[in-house]
Structures are given as C-alpha cells and as structure tokens.
Amino acid sequence: AVSPDGRYIAAGSLDKTVRLWDCETGVLADKFNGHADSVYSVSFSPDGSLLATGSLDRTVRLWDITQVGKRSGETNSRFTFKGHKDFVLSVAFAPQGTWLLSGSKDRSVHFWDPRMLRDLSKTEDGPSLILQGHQNSVISLAHSPLGCLFATGSGD
C-alpha cells in the first residue's frame, strides 16, 4: 500500500512483520512486529496516521505511523481487533476513516470503528457489524470514493 501523501510504501510479509519504506530514499523507515503469523494485507488510513494490517493469525492490527523516524527499535501495534474465525486476507479503510473493513477466509466482512482509538480506555468487544454471504474466502475489499458503497472479491 502507498500512503495517501505518497511518502511511504507498506508491505506485509510471510515472516510476520510489516515494513515501511520511505519512497523518496528507498530506505527502510520502520519495521512493525506483533502478528503471530504471516501478514497478507495492509491499508493506510485516509489521513495517513494509521496503518492497518490483516494476518493469518486471525487479527487486524493498527499501527501509529506518526512517529516514524522519531524513535529507535521496532514498533509494536497500537491496537488489535479480534473476531474473525479464520485468516484475515484483506483490510481497507473507508475514505472518511469512519470504518475499517476486514475480509477473511471465514467468508465474512467485519466493520471496525477505528475512531474508538481516541479513547484507549474503551475496549473493542468485537466488530460493529458482520456481513456474510460469500461461499468462499473474502480476498479483497474496495470502497467507492465517497465511501457509501464497497465491493468485495471472493473465490465464489
């Protein structure tokens, strides 16, 4: 994924990490650890402050990238969303940043509210909404530019 300002490129990896590269220099800007299995999907928030990742460990993690280059060492996730029953294969933010969607091998799409992170005293009890209907894994997600519609891709 490319950050909204074009400054960074993020990529998930089979080695359970997420790497963030500086587009101008090509240098590794940060490395994110925390997933227990391969990372299959990455998505930047519309304002570029958060990076969402989906993993075979069945979780979606959010990473704060506002401090990239201002700290030393590897970065741990800011928040973990749990609720999928199988691998998370796709993640996507709504254009306004109001929702984070995740698609899974469990054939569902989960809607998460990333705005809750403003109050870290709150806990995420699960997704705000779960949609089901595919007969196979949800492998891709995309929003319309206005954010009122979204599309899913599946093997069915």
Side-chain angles (χ1 to χ4, degrees):
V2 179
S3 64
D5 62 3
R7 182 171 180 193
Y8 298 113
I9 293 177
S13 177
L14 297 178
D15 70 2
K16 309 174 193 174
T17 64
V18 179
R19 290 177 176 82
L20 193 68
W21 283 277
D22 184 301
C23 287
E24 187 175 313
T25 66
V27 173
L28 182 66
D30 214 333
K31 182 178 177 181
F32 305 107
N33 286 308
H35 280 293
D37 207 336
S38 303
V39 179
Y40 266 49
S41 185
V42 296
S43 178
F44 285 96
S45 62
D47 67 2
S49 67
L50 297 171
L51 180 68
T53 58
S55 170
L56 299 189
D57 67 8
R58 302 177 183 186
T59 67
V60 174
R61 290 183 180 257
L62 284 181
W63 313 85
D64 180 357
I65 63 167
T66 61
Q67 300 299 311
V68 167
K70 299 176 186 170
R71 60 181 167 248
S72 62
E74 296 174 349
T75 305
N76 292 320
S77 65
R78 181 169 176 194
F79 199 83
T80 303
F81 294 104
K82 297 178 181 178
H84 280 291
K85 295 179 176 106
D86 212 330
F87 304 150
V88 178
L89 303 173
S90 52
V91 291
F93 277 96
Q96 300 85 1
T98 51
W99 295 107
L100 171 61
L101 277 64
S102 57
S104 171
K105 188 176 178 186
D106 66 14
R107 302 181 312 263
S108 71
V109 176
H110 287 198
F111 285 69
W112 310 96
D113 185 356
R115 297 167 297 176
M116 67 164 288
L117 296 176
R118 293 187 187 119
D119 181 2
L120 290 177
S121 65
K122 293 182 181 177
T123 59
E124 181 66 42
D125 295 326
S128 297
L129 177 67
I130 300 174
L131 298 180
Q132 295 180 314
H134 280 292
Q135 300 302 309
N136 208 328
S137 304
V138 180
I139 56 175
S140 62
L141 298 164
H143 281 276
S144 66
L146 297 178
C148 56
L149 298 173
F150 72 97
T152 60
S154 176
D156 55 10

